[in-house]
Amino acid sequence: MKLQNKTSAPKWQFIYWRRAILYLWPSILLFSVFLFYPLLKTFYLSFFLTDQQGMANVFVGLENYQYIIQSESFHKSIRATLIFVLLTVPTSVIISLFLALIANEKLKGIGFFRTLFASTMGISVAASAVVWLFIFHPSMGLFNQLINTLGGSEIEWLLDPQWALLSISITTIWMNIGFTFLILLGGLQNIDEHLYESARINGAGYFYQLRRITLPMLSPTLFFVITVSLINAFQTFGQVDILTQGGPSESTNLIVYSIYREAFVNYQFGTASAQSIFLFLCILIVTILQFRFGERKVHYQ
């Protein structure tokens, strides 16, 4: 009997593995078609000169990578992307956390404000960008009308290199607040209320509870939100394409828009693929660093 059990164990393991593969097969197929193949194809094209159809013609090795490293336009793109990430990610997380703390209070009519704060989730990037295009309009825009009312001079929000990236950042922060707010609000509502009751019985004030209970218990949610926000910030495209097309003077030429312009405007798919691999490595490194150092301050219990 023991020999039969030993010989039948590998057979049952094979059956379990086969069933597991069958269940995973749809996901494996989708990931292969829409993720793994494009990634490998991009890596392959980054070593070639291509024609206008994106077909590899001449093998050039690392010349595409050398070109983008020496390109002043690519340097501006990296600089603009880093500034954009630093402007948008901390600001959107802080504002969303503030709104989530307010919306978590048990007040009459708070459901209306929760819906209002999360409403930006239901608006597409294109529609949001068009609305902000009118807000930033030099003569009819809301911002310049307010500035004129206060006696100031009009600002060329999307036409001045000093203001264009800030304008894109404001638009992006507004667009991201809905998602970030909703996730943080869910995290706040999962905190055990007994912790606050015990703290109040011991005479702890609001800010002490915020520092000692709310933020530590919310740290897994904050960690998730910050990681996702960082990745999304590096991949920003839609609002740049609609509002500024990378200008003026390439001040808003974020790296994803630079890839798009290199591939579908200049038809240089080889250098665009090299930029894509560079972006992939940047996001990978930032994510690894986030997990390496940021997760140390996360309290899961």
Side-chain angles (χ1 to χ4, degrees), residues 39-284:
L39 178 61
L40 294 175
K41 185 69 172 181
T42 301
F43 185 73
Y44 171 77
L45 290 177
S46 67
F47 297 105
F48 287 84
L49 292 178
T50 63
D51 57 19
Q52 291 189 356
Q53 284 72 39
M55 303 300 295
N57 279 342
V58 181
F59 177 77
V60 293
L62 297 176
E63 289 185 13
N64 287 327
Y65 293 94
Q66 294 174 355
Y67 171 78
I68 65 172
I69 290 173
Q70 297 171 359
S71 171
E72 182 63 27
S73 177
F74 188 64
H75 294 168
K76 291 181 180 179
S77 176
I78 296 174
R79 191 181 307 114
T81 303
L82 292 177
I83 295 173
F84 174 80
V85 170
L86 293 175
L87 286 174
T88 56
V89 175
T91 308
S92 61
V93 171
I94 291 172
I95 294 175
S96 299
L97 178 60
F98 175 73
L99 295 177
L101 290 171
I102 295 175
N104 194 46
E105 298 294 328
K106 294 179 174 61
L107 301 174
K108 186 177 181 180
I110 198 64
F112 169 77
F113 292 97
R114 290 175 181 173
T115 304
L116 184 65
F117 296 154
S119 60
T120 59
M121 283 188 60
I123 306 175
S124 67
V125 174
S128 301
V130 170
V131 170
W132 282 96
L133 187 64
F134 284 101
I135 293 175
F136 288 126
H137 194 277
S139 58
M140 299 182 301
L142 177 62
F143 283 172
N144 277 342
Q145 288 183 5
L146 291 175
I147 292 173
N148 290 332
T149 303
L150 297 174
S153 57
E154 295 180 350
I155 298 174
E156 300 285 344
W157 293 99
L158 300 176
L159 301 177
D160 189 339
Q162 295 181 349
W163 293 98
L165 187 59
L166 178 62
S167 303
I168 296 293
S169 301
I170 293 172
T171 304
T172 304
I173 291 168
W174 181 84
M175 291 167 54
N176 292 342
I177 279 177
F179 169 78
T180 310
F181 159 78
L182 202 60
I183 298 298
L184 291 176
L185 180 61
L188 287 172
Q189 292 182 341
N190 283 329
I191 299 176
D192 192 351
E193 186 64 27
H194 292 92
L195 297 174
Y196 294 107
E197 292 178 359
S198 300
R200 284 192 291 268
I201 291 172
N202 292 324
Y206 176 80
F207 290 102
Y208 183 87
Q209 295 178 40
L210 178 65
R211 189 173 75 254
R212 295 294 186 179
I213 299 175
T214 304
L215 292 180
M217 297 300 294
L218 193 63
S219 57
T221 308
L222 282 170
F223 177 76
F224 168 78
V225 163
I226 293 172
T227 303
V228 172
S229 298
L230 282 170
I231 295 173
N232 290 338
F234 276 102
Q235 296 177 336
T236 299
F237 172 78
Q239 51 269 48
V240 176
D241 184 41
I242 294 174
L243 293 176
T244 61
Q245 292 80 47
S249 302
E250 297 187 332
S251 59
T252 62
N253 187 31
L254 304 185
I255 188 167
V256 174
Y257 190 80
S258 175
I259 294 170
Y260 162 78
R261 189 170 63 178
E262 192 73 12
F264 300 106
V265 177
N266 300 331
Y267 298 104
Q268 299 295 327
F269 291 93
T271 53
S273 298
Q275 291 185 34
S276 300
I277 297 299
F278 180 86
L279 175 62
F280 168 74
L281 293 176
C282 287
I283 295 176
L284 179 63

